[in-house]
């Protein structure tokens, strides 16, 4: 067998057309079929290597030039997930047709062709990305091996089959006693195997037409009314994307399909997008704006993929960011265009904190990273690929300008449609459209790990002459990368003088850069990274920080206010500044009604409350927290004012959580039972945004009397949002016996496989339930892995990052390193999780006493 180099297939044999005939029997949990593959052979071949995994393959033969079929031998190579077809004699270059028969079992891992349970029935759905089409049929399962597909499927007559293309024929099979029908779909354009889709289930639909495209929403029976908002989103965003790309949606239909068990949020299968229910369905009468925004962003993200990823596809998985970074960035842009009152870019800024935290680790990686195995490819689907890549694209767009950037994208899409393209092709298109050195800038950000800390210092008395110094930012604070390679940074400086407020832009390329701000006279204050548009952190000399600190609440925009708060927090975590500096900055935001500021304050205060506040300092910490957030709560109260905007309603929810969970305000706690009774009787009596903090606070302050009520609400919930709300709230009950009941409940049939990891993460985040949860994980790991699949296992592993104790760090390391517990697609995730635990332990060790001293001094 020819060695598959770096687990890539030989490139002298390529598929042109797949003709796939499947028989799928969900109740029997099995499938079988045949595939005929038209091949283009570019060099003499004695063997053909293609992917196959968990399949029984036989009946292989090949025909070339209408000659007698050649029966071939089949040899399986499990490590490379391939089969080798030995031809016996060499066949010459040219066209050939390969035929194979195969059979397999529906799995419970939510990958390949798998079983999904709903309403007492068993259905079948596919998830082929990244490398799981090979679990359905033997194929050339690499993104660059594009081909056309003709699919037919035999299924039970009472079920519906959906795929990428419209149905062109549906007929009962001749032997009607078997109760099967054959569904034949139209031929697809050329596409990668990971985009193939098949759904076999009992489904209802509603269809509309948008911009000449037939849009369908498909749900399980009884759920169709929850898809109205999804159709509204699609109706608004599809025309905007048609215009952005200057190229109409290229498929005859676009189906949005709700899958009852789905590992990811959604999957962009061309023409047949699959969604987990919570990312597609909602009741507009009672849905929170948080859920509406998430659903809108996920739907738009997947529709963007129909061009960026499906029409033009990366050549290999090392450039996965070409799909995901772009879809994340453009979805935000399009949703902001549709619903500007949601302030999507402000939220985008706050979400940058997740990749910034991960990217500051020693164990980070570049956005573009070499990958070989299926496990390594699966691990690429992380916040660096999605959020960091999106942040870097936004930074480049802001530098080039929206017009040139859009023109470059249009050139790229039109030139490479129905093809594969490397990252360099995108940079060349953007350079052509803008005349700027995009490749030089992008290479820094997409092929290097980490990001810079830019320190701004004044070198004169009037603050107009500045020195900007860059070095890599490290979460540990222990490394010094001065003298290393520098980033090319599109940097903006915001400042105020006697004339007004200005923004000065420059390109930082060296370790130290001098800068003279335009204008005359003294500068009042300086803010580095105006608009927080660059992907980095900033720091200041003491004089600049003091002048800026006095103006954060009045002179800076929301992304800038949240940016400076986040940066000081990060600097305090890595030991660069004392936690007292962060607390002083935090106090500057007292009474600030900005949604993202209050949400960040809530998160930081909760971390401090859980991990750093000493028992004797608890009263002073509560007093300080109340002093910060009580003005917000008093301003907003329980009920929204007439015409109040959604951001203020989200601010109210964050303030309620802090005032209830940390401050334990007597008035709020006494009001909770009455509000919950009214809410349960009449959901419309409560602002939907407050439902989650209300339900969670009632659990946290309850001795357990509501526990069975919450279990019942999960089982009988009418919307995914309601189900998820009560599922997460189970982690807020404080009694150890109830924690064990939650953990047992996770493994029951009442919790879907897709959701098994979510309450575990919440239990790990709650310091009172961490120990019991960790013990349970160790004793039930096999069952949890079996239920949640590799995605669920990876997320449970990552959730242990909250275990900030040395003994837990060692236990996590030992447990997940054991061969029987190892998650192949989480090797880097384990290293990163262990580093997060160590950083947390170090943070507690270096800042607890400082926080205690600050609280004591403030309280005197």
């Amino acid at each position: 067998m020819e060695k598959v180099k770096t687990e890539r297939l030989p490139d002298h044999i390529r598929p042109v057309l797949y003709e796939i005939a499947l028989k799928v029997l969900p109740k029997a949990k099995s499938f079988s079929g045949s595939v005929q593959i038209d091949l283009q052979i570019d060099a003499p071949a004695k063997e053909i290597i293609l992917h196959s995994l968990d399949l029984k393959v036989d009946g292989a033969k090949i025909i070339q030039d209408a000659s007698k079929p050649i029966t071939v031998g089949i040899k399986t190579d499990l490590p490379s997930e391939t089969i080798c077809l030995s031809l016996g004699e060499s066949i010459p270059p040219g066209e050939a047709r390969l035929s194979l028969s195969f059979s397999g079992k529906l799995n419970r891992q939510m990958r390949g062709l798998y079983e999904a349970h709903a309403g007492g029935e068993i259905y079948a759905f596919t998830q082929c990305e990244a490398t799981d089409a090979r679990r359905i049929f033997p194929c050339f399962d690499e993104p660059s091996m594009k081909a056309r597909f003709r699919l037919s499927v035999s299924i039970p007559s009472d079920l519906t089959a959906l795929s990428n293309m419209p149905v062109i024929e549906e007929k009962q099979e001749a032997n009607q006693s078997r109760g099967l029908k054959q569904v034949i779909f139209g031929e697809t354009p050329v596409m990668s195997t990971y985009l193939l889709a098949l759904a076999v289930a009992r489904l209802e639909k509603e269809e509309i037409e948008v911009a000449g495209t037939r849009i369908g929403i498909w749900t399980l029976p009884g759920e169709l009314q929850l898809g109205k908002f999804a159709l509204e989103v699609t109706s608004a965003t599809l025309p905007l994307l048609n215009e952005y790309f200057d190229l109409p949606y290229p498929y005859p239909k676009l189906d949005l399909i709700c899958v009852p068990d789905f590992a990811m949020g959604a999957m962009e299968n061309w023409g047949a997008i699959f969604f987990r229910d919570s990312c597609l369905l909602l009741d507009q009468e009672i849905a929170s704006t948080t859920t509406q925004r998430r659903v809108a962003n996920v739907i738009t993200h997947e529709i963007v993929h129909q061009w960026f990823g499906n029409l033009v596809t990366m050549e290999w998985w090392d450039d996965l960011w070409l799909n995901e970074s772009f879809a994340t960035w453009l979805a935000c842009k399009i949703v902001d265009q549709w619903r500007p009152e949601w302030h999507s870019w402000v939220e985008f800024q706050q979400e940058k904190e997740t990749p910034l935290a991960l990217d500051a680790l020693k164990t980070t990686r570049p956005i573009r990273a070499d990958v070989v195995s299926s496990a390594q490819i699966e691990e690429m689907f992380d916040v660096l690929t999605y959020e960091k890549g999106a942040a870097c694209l936004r930074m480049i767009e802001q530098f080039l300008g929206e017009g040139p950037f859009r023109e470059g994208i249009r050139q790229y899409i039109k030139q490479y449609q129905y093809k594969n393209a490397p990252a360099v092709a995108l940079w060349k298109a953007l350079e052509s459209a803008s005349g700027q050195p995009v490749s030089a800038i992008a290479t820094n950000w997409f092929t290097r790990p980490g990001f810079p800390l830019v320190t701004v210092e004044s070198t004169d008395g009037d603050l107009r002459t500045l020195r900007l110094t860059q070095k890599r930012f490290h979460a540990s604070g222990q490394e010094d990368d001065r003298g290393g390679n520098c980033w090319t940074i599109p940097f903006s400086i915001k400042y105020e003088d006697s004339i007004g407020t200005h923004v000065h832009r420059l390109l930082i390329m060296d370790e130290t850069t001098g800068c003279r701000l335009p204008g005359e006279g003294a500068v009042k204050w300086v803010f580095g990274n105006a608009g927080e548009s660059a992907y980095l952190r900033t720091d200041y000399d003491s004089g600049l920080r003091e002048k800026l600190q006095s103006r954060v609440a009045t002179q800076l925009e929301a992304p800038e206010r949240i940016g400076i708060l986040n940066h000081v927090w990060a600097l305090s975590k890595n030991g660069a500044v004392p936690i007292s500096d962060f607390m002083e900055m935090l106090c500057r935001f007292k009474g600030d009604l900005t949604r993202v500021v209050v949400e960040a304050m809530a998160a930081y205060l909760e971390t401090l409350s859980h991990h750093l506040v000493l028992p004797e300092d608890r009263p002073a910490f509560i007093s300080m927290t109340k002093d910060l957030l009580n003005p917000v709560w008093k301003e907003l109260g329980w009920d929204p004012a007439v015409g109040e905007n959604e951001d203020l309603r989200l601010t109210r929810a964050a303030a309620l959580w802090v005032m209830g969970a940390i401050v334990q305000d007597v008035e709020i706690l006494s009001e909770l039972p009455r509000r919950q009774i009214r809410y349960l009787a009449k959901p419309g009596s409560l602002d939907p945004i407050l439902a989650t903090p209300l339900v969670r606070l009632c659990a946290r302050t309850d001795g357990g009397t509501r526990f069975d009520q919450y279990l019942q609400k999960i089982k009988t919930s009418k919307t995914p949002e309601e189900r998820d709300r009560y599922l997460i709230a189970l982690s807020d009950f404080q009694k150890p016996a109830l924690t064990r009941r939650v953990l047992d409940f996770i493994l029951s049939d009442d919790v879907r496989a897709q959701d098994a990891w979510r309450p575990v993460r919440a239990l790990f985040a709650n310091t009172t339930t961490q120990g019991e949860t960790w013990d349970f994980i160790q004793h039930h790991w096999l069952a949890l892995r079996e239920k949640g699949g590799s995605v669920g296992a990876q997320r449970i592993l990552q959730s242990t990052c909250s275990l900030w104790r040395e003994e837990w760090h060692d236990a996590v390391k030992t447990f997940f390193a054991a061969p029987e517990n190892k998650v192949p697609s989480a090797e880097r995730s384990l290293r990163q999780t262990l580093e997060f635990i160590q950083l947390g332990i170090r943070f507690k060790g270096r800042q607890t006493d400082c926080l205690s001293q600050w609280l004591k001094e403030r309280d005197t």
Side-chain angles (χ1 to χ4, degrees), residues 675-685:
R675 292 278 176 172
Q676 187 179 41
I677 291 170
R678 287 182 60 198
Y679 171 66
L680 292 173
K682 186 179 179 182
S685 66

Side-chain angles (χ1 to χ4, degrees), residues 114-133:
Y114 67 91
E115 60 178 281
H117 297 245
E121 296 198 63
I122 302 174
Y123 303 130
F125 293 88
T126 57
Q127 172 58 27
C128 293
E129 190 180 37
T131 60
D132 290 317

Side-chain angles (χ1 to χ4, degrees), residues 18 520 630 703 737 787:
Y18 293 90
E520 300 294 335
N630 197 48
K787 179 165 187 173

Side-chain angles (χ1 to χ4, degrees), residues 281-335:
L281 306 181
L282 57 83
D283 183 341
Q284 287 180 272
E285 294 297 319
I286 58 173
S288 68
T289 185
T290 304
T291 294
Q292 292 183 43
R293 293 178 189 201
R294 182 181 69 250
V295 168
N297 274 288
V298 173
I299 290 173
T300 309
H301 178 109
E302 303 308 323
I303 297 176
V304 171
H305 274 311
Q306 306 303 299
W307 288 266
F308 228 104
N310 299 4
L311 184 62
V312 181
T313 311
M314 76 264 162
E315 292 183 336
W316 182 243
W317 297 104
D318 52 4
D319 272 333
L320 175 63
W321 70 268
L322 277 170
N323 290 13
E324 301 301 347
S325 301
F326 195 89
T328 302
W329 167 79
L330 186 54
C332 187
K333 190 178 188 70
I334 293 297
V335 170

Side-chain angles (χ1 to χ4, degrees), residues 542-816:
S542 57
L544 288 176
R545 187 185 299 119
E546 182 179 347
K547 290 183 177 296
L548 183 59
Q549 191 165 286
S550 64
R551 290 171 167 80
V552 291
T554 57
Q555 302 292 114
L556 301 182
E557 300 296 325
E560 296 164 342
R561 296 207 299 283
I562 192 61
I564 194 169
L565 184 63
N566 292 336
H567 300 326
V568 180
W569 171 258
L571 289 165
S572 71
K573 285 197 73 176
N574 82 350
V577 302
I579 192 69
S580 55
D581 281 13
F582 171 76
M583 300 307 295
E584 291 295 335
M585 180 65 75
L586 192 67
C587 290
R588 296 288 181 173
F589 293 97
K590 175 182 177 178
D592 193 317
L593 296 176
T594 307
R595 170 216 170 174
V596 290
V597 171
V598 177
E599 288 177 343
M601 291 171 69
Y604 293 145
L605 288 167
E606 195 159 23
T607 297
L608 295 174
S609 178
H610 283 328
H611 296 291
L612 268 72
V613 177
L614 298 173
E616 61 267 28
D617 295 323
R618 177 70 53 183
F621 181 76
I622 289 173
S623 174
M624 180 274 303
T625 302
K626 184 173 184 178
D627 186 53
L628 286 178
L629 272 301
N630 197 48
V632 176
W633 181 250
K634 291 300 183 183
E635 173 78 15
L636 299 178
W638 277 96
D639 302 305
V642 176
E644 184 178 274
N645 67 59
E646 291 184 353
D647 269 11
L648 278 179
R649 293 161 62 193
L650 288 162
T651 299
R652 174 183 293 105
L656 172 62
W657 177 253
V658 174
M659 293 295 291
I662 298 178
V663 176
Q664 298 182 346
D665 181 81
V666 174
E667 290 184 8
I668 288 176
L669 297 187
S670 63
E671 178 70 4
L672 290 177
R674 188 180 75 85
R675 292 278 176 172
Q676 187 179 41
I677 291 170
R678 287 182 60 198
Y679 171 66
L680 292 173
K682 186 179 179 182
S685 66
L686 183 75
D687 183 346
I689 297 171
L690 294 186
T692 294
L694 173 71
V695 167
R696 291 190 62 196
L697 286 172
C698 286
R700 186 160 291 202
T701 57
D702 179 72
T705 58
R706 294 183 178 93
F707 187 84
D708 288 320
Q709 180 189 48
Y710 279 29
L711 291 181
Q712 190 61 26
K713 293 294 288 185
I714 294 168
K715 298 173 186 178
T716 60
S717 59
K718 293 182 171 57
T719 68
E721 181 180 22
E722 182 183 32
R723 178 199 66 218
D724 293 349
R725 176 180 295 132
Y726 284 96
L727 184 62
I728 298 304
L730 292 180
S731 68
D732 288 294
F733 289 96
Q734 305 294 299
K735 287 188 175 181
L738 295 181
T739 300
R740 181 53 191 256
R741 286 188 64 188
V742 175
L743 291 162
D744 289 335
F745 181 68
I746 290 168
L747 287 176
S748 74
D749 291 338
D750 290 314
V751 176
R752 292 182 176 179
Q754 67 177 19
D755 298 321
W757 61 272
R758 302 185 76 241
V760 173
R761 182 174 66 180
L763 287 165
F764 272 133
N766 185 344
T767 51
T768 63
T769 56
Q770 288 177 335
E772 181 75 23
T773 304
W774 175 234
D775 288 343
F776 184 89
I777 297 301
Q778 294 173 87
H779 289 96
H780 297 83
W781 181 238
L782 182 61
L784 287 163
R785 283 186 64 177
E786 180 66 24
K787 179 165 187 173
S790 62
V791 173
Q794 182 179 11
R795 289 176 176 169
I796 290 174
L797 182 155
Q798 291 169 329
S799 299
T800 63
C801 68
S802 302
L803 302 179
W804 291 7
R805 293 186 192 171
E806 287 287 357
E807 62 270 26
W808 279 343
H809 169 273
D810 296 343
V812 169
K813 182 178 181 180
T814 301
F815 181 79
F816 288 114

